[in-house]
Amino acid sequence: VPMTGLDSKEQAPKKDEKAAVIKGLDDDAVNRKPIKLIAKDGKEFTVECKDAFISTLIHTGLENDKDVAELNVPGVTGPILDLVVVYMKEHKGVEPPIIEKPLRSKLMSDVCPYKWDAEYIDKIGETRQKLYDLIVAANYMDIKSLLLRGGAKVASLIKGQPIEKSKSMLDASGLS
């Protein structure tokens, strides 16, 4: 009798049955109620769990407790968390393709594979402080694609600039 680790009465699931038997956390996210994210200033945002799972911080925070209905995000202010939630909802929990490096253009529309991302990050980049705060939030919440898009926007702003102007932009941001 071959040693399979199963009782003689038990049978291993067939290939088609395995998919139904093995469920990942992402499957649970689809069936969960929306999660409330609470910013450090108390502002609240509701987002579908499957959308919020683009954030490793949130994914990990919900991993062990299926009954959690709200999660504090103390490292992010309300206005910035609002921008993050917009990004989450647009991408529905799926990381978009990476941006190729080095940047081949200063225009985000030329470097972002997805037009919405280019418009989103360009709009935020109109206010440097908002862009820098978004980068910090993406880092805190561990949203790799958003962090990379924010970094690419900063790179596009300093690309081709004299070194002194680039240094002053980075010094002003607190990112240097």
Side-chain angles (χ1 to χ4, degrees):
V1 177
M3 300 289 285
T4 63
L6 298 173
D7 267 357
S8 60
K9 294 177 186 173
E10 291 179 305
Q11 291 185 353
K14 293 177 185 161
K15 188 175 183 181
D16 292 341
E17 293 175 40
K18 267 188 186 177
V21 172
I22 300 171
K23 278 183 25 175
L25 183 59
D26 292 342
D27 296 332
D28 291 338
V30 172
N31 299 323
R32 286 182 72 137
K33 291 181 180 173
I35 187 81
K36 186 184 298 181
L37 302 178
I38 305 169
K40 79 173 166 184
D41 53 10
K43 292 196 172 116
E44 299 177 353
F45 302 89
T46 301
V47 65
E48 295 295 327
C49 280
K50 67 178 178 55
D51 297 349
F53 275 16
I54 198 169
S55 164
T56 303
L57 175 78
I58 293 171
H59 198 175
T60 303
L62 299 175
E63 200 165 42
N64 296 323
D65 189 350
K66 295 182 183 346
D67 297 325
V68 161
E70 57 186 48
L71 214 90
N72 288 314
V73 188
V76 184
T77 63
I80 299 301
L81 188 55
D82 186 28
L83 295 172
V84 172
V85 167
V86 167
Y87 185 84
M88 290 175 165
K89 288 179 178 180
E90 177 63 26
H91 288 288
K92 301 187 181 335
V94 177
E95 290 279 356
I98 61 168
I99 294 174
E100 292 179 26
K101 295 178 243 48
L103 295 182
R104 62 181 186 268
S105 171
K106 290 178 67 167
L107 301 174
M108 294 305 292
S109 59
D110 291 342
V111 298
C112 283
Y114 184 43
K115 181 182 176 188
W116 184 91
D117 284 348
E119 292 171 357
Y120 169 84
I121 206 71
D122 277 340
K123 181 75 174 148
I124 292 168
E126 292 173 3
T127 307
R128 300 290 190 270
Q129 190 59 53
K130 192 184 298 185
L131 175 62
Y132 301 138
D133 291 345
L134 182 71
I135 291 169
V136 171
N139 186 53
Y140 175 80
M141 295 180 72
D142 200 358
I143 306 173
K144 185 176 181 178
S145 59
L146 183 55
L147 180 61
L148 292 174
R149 276 145 181 75
K153 180 61 183 175
V154 171
S156 77
L157 293 171
I158 63 175
K159 186 176 178 83
Q161 297 291 332
I163 190 83
E164 288 308 313
K165 184 168 184 182
S166 298
K167 284 170 94 176
S168 70
M169 283 178 65
L170 292 173
D171 286 343
S173 71
L175 294 176
S176 60

